Amino acid sequence: YYMNSEKDLIQVNKNGVKRAVARNVGHICAVNNGATVVYSKPLIIRDKKYKTFYRKTNGLKTVKLGRAKDIRKKAESIVLNSKKFDIKGGGYYGIKKVTIGRKNAYFLVKFRYSQSKVAGTMILPVNLNTGKIGDPVKFYDDDTDGVIVDIGYENGYIYYEVAEIAETDSDSEWDYSYTRIKV
């Protein structure tokens, strides 16, 4: 898959045959094995644009996974109802990465609350067939756990990279570690 200059999502098969499969695409978020793609495009409702995620699989119809606004709202609800944080609302939630699994697309969501200096990351699953947003498969507090900076999927596991600040005599540096979780 790739985007052409007219913002069309183009699929290229093994024989090099190209076919436009979506129009007005904003961004290709993730591709797996060359058959499934998750992409975003603006959804316009009453003159307002909403960033919306879709899934397209070779031979199947397009599935709407949901609006970015809804994914951020689910992440906010999880943080506000968490016993880990004492937060009363507001804050920033941003979708940083997406990877495709067998049944779900996994969204890496970062959050930050400036007034209490709370920040963290979580990996939220969104069902590839229904668009239902699930509970986080991983939830990190930046201060105690580090920051999830990258995610990937392979053979039933989410692989993720975590960055933590390591205090040294001269300066603060980042330590990176890699781990996985069965999903």
Side-chain angles (χ1 to χ4, degrees), residues 19-20 25 45 57 81 106 114 123 138 148 157-158 163-164:
R19 177 174 72 148
V25 172
I45 300 174
T57 299
N81 292 309
Y106 296 91
S114 59
I123 301 172
K138 207 62 179 165
I148 302 172
Y157 289 91
I158 291 284
E164 296 179 85

Side-chain angles (χ1 to χ4, degrees), residues 35-166:
T36 303
V37 62
V38 172
Y39 60 95
S40 67
K41 61 190 281 186
L43 174 68
I44 301 172
I45 300 174
R46 291 189 224 47
D47 297 331
K48 288 187 177 182
K49 285 186 179 181
Y50 297 96
K51 183 177 186 177
T52 306
F53 295 96
Y54 297 88
R55 187 257 313 184
K56 181 79 173 180
T57 299
N58 191 13
L60 296 178
K61 65 180 182 176
T62 302
V63 176
K64 180 180 169 185
L65 297 177
R67 296 184 301 181
K69 175 181 176 179
D70 298 330
I71 294 168
R72 290 191 303 266
K73 186 185 245 182
K74 172 74 173 189
E76 181 177 21
S77 172
I78 291 165
V79 171
L80 292 177
N81 292 309
S82 169
K83 294 177 183 176
K84 202 171 197 177
F85 305 109
D86 183 22
I87 299 173
K88 300 291 186 237
Y92 160 82
Y93 293 83
I95 297 168
K96 299 302 178 189
K97 303 265 183 173
V98 181
T99 192
I100 302 169
R102 189 173 20 247
K103 295 179 183 178
N104 296 302
Y106 296 91
F107 289 76
L108 175 59
V109 180
K110 181 168 183 62
F111 59 92
R112 180 176 48 240
Y113 285 82
S114 59
Q115 75 275 14
S116 59
K117 297 183 181 176
V118 170
T121 46
M122 70 178 77
I123 301 172
L124 280 179
V126 177
N127 186 282
L128 288 170
N129 294 315
T130 66
K132 183 176 187 240
I133 305 168
D135 291 328
V137 296
K138 207 62 179 165
F139 192 139
Y140 269 50
D141 175 345
D142 288 3
D143 291 335
T144 59
D145 306 320
V147 180
I148 302 172
V149 293
D150 200 6
I151 58 174
Y153 176 89
E154 189 172 326
N155 296 326
Y157 289 91
I158 291 284
Y159 291 84
Y160 56 97
E161 178 181 20
V162 177
E164 296 179 85
I165 294 180

